[in-house]
Amino acid sequence: MKRQLRLSRDAWQRLATKLDHDRAILGLPTRLLYSAASVSNSLLARLQNLSHAEILETVGVPPPIFLLGFWRSGTTFLHELLCSDTRFGFPSTYACMNPAHFLLTEKAFQKGVAKQQTRRPMDNMQYSWTSPQEDEFALLCMGAPSPYEALLVPSLMSNPRVLLDLRCRSGDEQGRWAQMLQLFLRLLTVQQDKTMMLKSPTHGFRLPLLTSLFPKARFVIIERNPYEVFASNLKLWQTLLDRYSLESTSSEQIESFVLAAYLIHEEAITEGIPSLGPGKVSRVRYEDVVADPLGHVKRIYSDLGLAEFEAARPALEQHIASVSGYQRNRLLLSKAQKAAVDQLWGPLIRDKGYTWPEEWLSLSA
């Protein structure tokens, strides 16, 4: 059975109009469930905002720290590591999946099953409702234009530039995205009163916009061997579409999208980097962070002028110990898939100094 995202009424109505009816696989019960739940979510959001109206109007939001990187580049590992420093705040899985009411309900929920661990189906990493999560899920549910519209409507992946580059959307949509992101940050600040550490691979496509919207924000950019990134993305998107998609899709569609999306992401990062002054950005590689987590987090703290690293060391060491038993997946690509990556990403792969990761990827006949 398909999982259901907790969309607002506006979000659901906009997405429903984008469905390709020739490919739609949602029945009347699913449509009715989404419609009813979206009304409930919108009412809860109104209650949440009204009950905190005064403080939401006046709360000062510290400039956030954005962790950027293409999907499957190690953003989750680094995000959880950085968030182990309790001086930073972050949106939990519960808040991102329930942006309409988390201020009203999360504290009570945490007394129940919130900390029970489960494993992500795409990579077997442990997480819980209290784990740091992608704020993009909250933005989607709140009605902001989002690349994750494609999780429900994968036909949108056929035009990756429009899906991923917010500047291809109307001025009204760009304004709605900025409004929803700022609102979610205010809600998080009311809840935690800390500098927010935000991680969403989708934000990389918006780096030029983020630097304008948050001129004092700081950025961490992580990258990983593109061959691994491609193979892992095929599994990621297939897993997510199996869970959420309301249309039929194909593996060829996913491959084409990932190949195009990586290039669009790299363009946005290259365009946005020059506008970041000293102390605003730190760049790392996943392979280096895995090999020496403490050393590279210390460098990130130094690059960004963050709070004293030594005060965070015990919590960082504890987190590193807790995930030390994690085993990375070994993945498989066909010769045709490798050839497609070589053709489209080859110059970037060479510029970054990467080669075929024999230890983590196999090539099928």
Side-chain angles (χ1 to χ4, degrees):
M1 184 176 179
K2 295 286 186 180
R3 300 285 183 92
Q4 187 170 331
L5 292 167
R6 288 138 192 197
L7 305 176
S8 69
R9 184 170 179 268
D10 285 347
W12 168 243
Q13 288 180 334
R14 289 192 182 94
L15 280 168
T17 64
K18 296 181 180 182
L19 284 166
D20 182 341
H21 296 290
D22 293 332
R23 299 172 55 179
I25 55 175
L26 78 165
L28 182 60
T30 301
R31 189 179 290 272
L32 290 175
L33 277 173
Y34 260 112
S35 296
S38 69
V39 172
S40 174
N41 289 328
S42 290
L43 289 173
L44 285 167
R46 185 175 300 178
L47 177 61
Q48 175 173 258
N49 293 343
L50 286 174
S51 62
H52 296 82
E54 185 175 350
I55 190 170
L56 283 172
E57 185 68 27
T58 60
V59 66
V61 176
I65 300 168
F66 290 96
L67 172 52
L68 310 181
F70 196 72
W71 293 286
R72 309 303 300 140
S73 291
T75 54
T76 297
F77 173 70
L78 185 55
H79 191 217
E80 292 188 348
L81 183 56
L82 293 171
C83 290
S84 66
D85 184 343
T86 57
R87 291 171 293 183
F88 299 122
F90 59 85
S92 67
T93 299
Y94 185 88
C96 290
M97 297 302 180
N98 299 281
H101 56 81
F102 73 96
L103 273 188
L104 303 174
T105 59
E106 184 167 15
K107 187 176 292 185
F109 183 77
Q110 287 181 351
K111 296 178 181 178
V113 299
K115 294 185 179 181
Q116 291 182 2
Q117 296 278 331
T118 188
R119 292 186 181 274
R120 302 197 313 180
M122 70 287 291
D123 57 14
N124 212 33
M125 284 188 68
Q126 286 193 331
Y127 76 103
S128 73
W129 285 105
T130 62
S131 298
Q133 184 56 264
E134 294 183 35
D135 54 289
E136 192 66 32
F137 285 104
L139 300 181
L140 172 69
C141 291
M142 294 166 74
S146 168
Y148 285 176
E149 294 169 2
L151 297 182
L152 287 86
V153 189
S155 57
L156 297 173
M157 297 164 72
S158 63
N159 195 339
R161 177 72 65 177
V162 171
L163 179 66
L164 299 169
D165 189 344
L166 187 60
R167 294 171 297 182
C168 294
R169 307 277 188 120
S170 69
D172 286 344
E173 287 184 295
Q174 292 181 41
R176 190 169 71 251
W177 166 79
Q179 180 184 15
M180 293 303 169
L181 177 55
Q182 290 168 323
L183 172 58
F184 190 54
L185 274 169
R186 291 200 303 274
L187 290 166
L188 291 169
T189 305
V190 169
Q191 183 192 48
Q192 301 174 47
D193 192 25
K194 296 178 179 180
T195 295
M196 286 297 132
M197 186 77 67
L198 300 180
K199 182 273 292 191
S200 286
T202 49
H203 284 321
F205 298 98
R206 309 178 183 122
L207 178 56
L209 294 176
L210 289 171
T211 57
S212 298
L213 189 62
F214 302 101
K216 295 184 178 180
R218 289 167 286 189
F219 298 86
V220 182
I221 302 174
I222 186 170
E223 64 181 17
R224 184 179 185 177
N225 189 304
Y227 289 111
E228 278 191 83
V229 165
F230 177 74
S232 193
N233 262 269
L234 300 186
K235 182 176 181 180
L236 167 72
W237 281 95
Q238 189 64 65
T239 300
L240 292 175
L241 291 172
D242 287 345
R243 287 191 163 207
Y244 296 113
S245 174
L246 302 179
E247 294 177 342
S248 60
T249 188
S250 68
S251 58
E252 292 78 13
Q253 182 184 11
I254 295 172
E255 288 182 23
S256 296
F257 170 73
V258 173
L259 287 168
Y262 186 80
L263 298 177
I264 296 169
H265 182 271
E266 291 301 298
E267 288 175 11
I269 295 296
T270 300
E271 179 184 346
I273 286 285
S275 65
L276 300 176
K280 293 292 184 65
V281 63
S282 180
R283 303 195 70 168
V284 295
R285 291 193 171 198
Y286 171 76
E287 296 83 2
D288 296 335
V289 175
V290 169
D292 181 14
L294 277 179
H296 285 279
V297 171
K298 184 176 183 178
R299 181 168 71 79
I300 290 170
Y301 274 56
S302 175
D303 289 345
L304 301 183
L306 299 180
E308 185 182 350
F309 171 79
E310 291 303 322
R313 181 187 288 272
L316 292 166
E317 290 176 338
Q318 183 178 359
H319 179 78
I320 292 167
S322 73
V323 299
S324 60
Y326 173 69
Q327 296 293 320
R328 287 162 62 182
N329 292 326
R330 184 174 180 85
L331 299 170
L332 181 72
L333 286 182
S334 69
K335 290 183 179 179
Q337 288 170 329
K338 181 181 183 297
V341 172
D342 287 337
Q343 180 181 358
L344 292 173
W345 298 3
L348 282 171
I349 293 172
R350 290 189 290 274
D351 287 348
K352 293 173 183 290
Y354 282 109
T355 57
W356 179 258
E358 187 68 37
E359 183 179 2
W360 303 109
L361 269 183
S362 298
L363 200 60
S364 67

